[in-house]
């Protein structure tokens, strides 16, 4: 399963659920430094890294919207963490 997400989508997703990079690092198992490099487009993440990000954010209620004529995005579908 290849699911590409853009740095802008990661930043927008964090904003929607009011998460810091520390929050996302804890939920995904990644480091804050790795997240900062991904969000600033300083690195191209590995597929396993993208999967960890996607899993953590989707579990928190984020739905990734693919390129569908209007451009990629995110939306808050539901919150699974009870917040």
């Amino acid at each position: 399963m290849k699911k590409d997400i853009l740095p802008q989508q990661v930043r927008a997703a964090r904003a929607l659920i009011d998460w810091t990079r520390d929050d996302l690092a804890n939920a995904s198992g990644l480091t804050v430094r790795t997240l900062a490099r991904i969000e600033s487009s300083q690195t191209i993440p590995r597929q396993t890294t993208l999967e960890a990000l996607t899993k953590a954010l989707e579990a928190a209620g984020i739905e990734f919207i693919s390129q569908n004529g209007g451009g990629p995005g995110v939306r808050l579908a539901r919150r699974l963490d009870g917040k």
Side-chain angles (χ1 to χ4, degrees):
M1 166 189 99
K2 180 135 172 68
K3 185 172 200 173
D4 291 330
I5 55 176
L6 300 174
Q8 297 89 335
Q9 288 176 293
V10 176
R11 292 192 306 267
R14 282 196 310 106
L16 278 173
I17 55 177
D18 197 27
W19 273 12
T20 64
R21 282 187 183 143
D22 283 325
D23 294 328
L24 183 51
N26 288 332
S28 66
L30 302 173
T31 66
V32 172
R33 177 171 160 73
T34 296
L35 292 173
R37 289 174 46 83
I38 291 168
E39 288 184 353
S40 64
S41 300
Q42 292 178 352
T43 188
I44 298 172
R46 295 178 181 158
Q47 187 60 36
T48 55
T49 301
L50 289 175
E51 289 169 3
L53 282 173
T54 301
K55 182 178 177 182
L57 291 168
E58 286 179 345
I62 292 296
E63 184 175 335
F64 289 94
I65 302 167
S66 62
Q67 180 78 18
N68 60 1
V74 295
R75 67 177 165 206
L76 185 57
R78 72 209 174 299
R79 293 287 300 249
L80 299 180
D81 61 3
K83 291 183 182 179

